[in-house]
């Protein structure tokens, strides 16, 4: 990253999060309804995109870049969690990945109410994949790359000033 300023790296990372959000919305417009975990993964990218925009507009500040790094790490963690749920490595939220618990003890009326509240899109099923990697998996990979860019931005000013 020698030829790029910390500001340029941060703006690029923010734009990367904006691109991931645009891709998610494009998939949604094509009929791939997001599950609850998919939507949850979008929030840190929105924060990172806004931070990238703030850095572009106001200039680089280490604390802003650090917030961008935190947002990207949150996005990475949520995506890894979701991919693990899809791969059955661990259990996801009960209300979106495994159905309704306590069926044997529920009345018919309680069962109908629980089914009406249950989300249509399950968190533990892969809706789309490329090269055997789900959208959550790709989000984890790309989010980790964006986190690396944010980290380079946070650390870059010291190097530019010859302090590292």
């Amino acid at each position: 990253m020698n030829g790029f300023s910390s500001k340029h790296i941060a703006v690029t990372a923010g734009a990367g999060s904006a691109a991931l959000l645009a891709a998610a919305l494009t998939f949604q417009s094509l009929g791939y309804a997001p599950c609850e975990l998919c939507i949850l993964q979008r929030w840190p990218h929105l924060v990172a995109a806004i931070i990238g925009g703030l850095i572009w507009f106001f200039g680089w500040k280490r604390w802003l870049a650090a917030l961008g790094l935190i947002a990207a790490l949150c996005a990475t963690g949520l995506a890894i969690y979701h991919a693990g749920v899809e791969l059955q490595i661990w259990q996801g939220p009960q209300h979106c990945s495994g159905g309704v618990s306590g069926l044997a003890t529920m009345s018919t009326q309680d069962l109908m109410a629980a089914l009406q509240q249950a989300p249509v899109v399950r968190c533990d099923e892969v809706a789309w994949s490329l090269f055997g990697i789900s959208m959550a998996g790709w989000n984890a990979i790309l989010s980790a790359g964006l986190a690396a860019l944010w980290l380079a931005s946070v650390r870059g000013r010291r190097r530019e000033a010859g302090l590292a």
Side-chain angles (χ1 to χ4, degrees), residues 12-146:
T12 300
S17 281
L20 285 176
L21 280 172
L25 293 173
T26 299
F27 271 99
Q28 189 172 340
S29 73
L30 294 173
Y32 292 95
C35 72
E36 183 178 326
L37 290 177
C38 291
I39 292 172
L40 190 59
Q41 291 170 73
R42 294 177 185 183
W43 289 104
H45 284 298
L46 178 61
V47 170
I50 290 170
I51 291 169
L54 290 172
I55 290 173
W56 173 77
F57 189 74
F58 292 112
W60 185 88
K61 304 283 186 235
R62 183 181 307 281
W63 67 272
L64 274 176
L67 289 177
L69 173 60
I70 291 167
L73 289 172
C74 287
T76 304
L78 287 168
I80 289 169
Y81 172 69
H82 189 189
V85 169
E86 290 175 337
L87 293 168
Q88 315 294 313
I89 296 172
W90 44 72
Q91 205 171 27
Q94 188 63 32
H95 58 277
C96 74
S97 54
V100 181
S101 61
L103 290 177
T105 60
M106 289 183 143
S107 69
T108 305
Q109 188 175 13
D110 289 341
L111 177 60
M112 290 304 291
L115 289 174
Q116 287 175 344
Q117 292 176 357
V120 176
V121 181
R122 291 179 52 128
C123 298
D124 59 353
E125 293 180 356
V126 176
W128 179 90
S129 67
L130 178 65
F131 307 121
I133 302 172
S134 70
M135 280 190 265
W138 283 111
N139 188 18
I141 293 166
L142 296 172
S143 295
L146 293 174

